[in-house]
Amino acid sequence: MELTPQQIRDLKRYSLILQASNLEDGLSWSNHYWDSDGFQGVEGPYYKNRVSEQPGFTPKSIEDLFKDYSDQFNTDEFYNDEFGTEDGSLTFTIYADRQEIVIDRTYRTRESEEVENRVSFDEMNSAEQHWWGRNNREREIKKLTDDNYVNQLIEKYGDTITLGYEGGGDDGWVNDYMDSEKKGTVDVPTTLDSMVSEIIDIYHSGYYNDEGGSGKITLDLVNRYVNIDHTTYYEGSDDETVGTIKF
């Protein structure tokens, strides 16, 4: 982006003030962009991520420079496939000692964290549910402590059964199909659907909140264990330099 003569003069004078205020190693301004509302306006200055009271003003020509750059910026660079939005921000940092402005793009990312649980059927049955998972009916997971019931499952499906679940935005569910050793991929019976929901409620309650989560539950019927491979998703951010302006 080409600077006007006025902007060059103001930047050089402003740099002297920053150096005198010990801010020569980077004073920043930001402009946040929301997909539905556009850029929100230039805010700052900030020094080391905190609001700076020095030097106490920003020349209008420099604020106009930040605004013009924002207006010309291709907001497609904020787009995130996971969220389907163009949310992000631009940060303008004046480095007086280097006589340059560095522009960084901050964009949303989807991060994840994986956790594995392995517990016996007896341990799981005695574990306390969260208060919102309690009710007056008998819990489905209690059936896993009944050898006759477990042997019936082995006879019908084989030694292991694996069921998946996922959710986000305050809604979660058990997937419609499960993998079994003997029958392959089959529909999930209502009883096992309820059982898996109870297991999730004990070990990963509320997993569907915010960015949500997903996982798979494997019933090791022979050894009387359940394996839970759970992934929690959360919102993160990343930065990338998109431009440098020398003055």
Side-chain angles (χ1 to χ4, degrees), residues 9 22 40 59 87 139 161 181 194 200 210:
R9 286 194 295 270
N22 296 318
Q40 303 300 294
D87 297 333
R139 296 162 67 181
I161 299 172
E181 185 182 49
S194 300
I200 301 169
D210 300 322

Side-chain angles (χ1 to χ4, degrees), residues 21-143:
S21 303
N22 296 318
L23 300 171
E24 67 274 9
D25 56 341
L27 193 64
S28 301
W29 293 254
S30 61
N31 197 351
H32 298 285
Y33 182 87
W34 302 115
D35 198 5
S36 57
D37 300 320
F39 278 107
Q40 303 300 294
V42 177
E43 299 177 348
Y46 303 98
Y47 182 68
K48 294 184 177 179
N49 297 320
R50 295 186 177 183
V51 175
S52 176
E53 296 181 358
Q54 297 293 331
F57 73 102
T58 305
K60 183 178 183 303
S61 67
I62 297 177
E63 288 188 341
D64 289 343
L65 169 64
F66 299 156
K67 182 180 182 300
D68 291 343
Y69 190 98
S70 300
D71 290 341
Q72 297 173 28
F73 185 74
N74 181 6
T75 58
D76 287 348
E77 294 191 41
F78 289 137
Y79 185 77
N80 184 289
D81 288 328
E82 297 284 353
F83 300 107
T85 59
E86 294 182 355
D87 297 333
S89 64
L90 292 176
T91 299
F92 305 88
T93 304
I94 296 178
Y95 292 97
D97 56 349
R98 289 151 42 183
Q99 299 283 285
E100 67 179 8
I101 302 171
V102 174
I103 303 102
D104 292 312
R105 167 181 67 106
T106 301
Y107 54 95
R108 295 172 68 191
T109 60
R110 194 185 195 201
E111 309 294 338
S112 63
E113 181 178 351
E114 297 180 357
V115 177
E116 182 178 353
N117 306 96
R118 177 175 170 83
V119 293
S120 70
F121 290 171
D122 288 334
E123 290 173 326
M124 183 172 58
N125 181 59
S126 62
E128 184 177 0
Q129 283 185 302
H130 293 274
W131 64 267
W132 53 84
R134 300 173 189 154
N135 48 51
N136 294 324
R137 67 174 174 78
E138 185 175 275
R139 296 162 67 181
E140 294 290 348
I141 58 175
K142 186 176 181 180
K143 294 178 180 179

Side-chain angles (χ1 to χ4, degrees), residues 152-171:
Q152 289 174 13
L153 290 178
I154 293 174
E155 183 179 350
K156 185 173 183 179
Y157 298 111
D159 293 348
T160 60
I161 299 172
T162 300
L163 305 92
Y165 62 92
E166 56 188 299
D170 300 328
D171 188 22

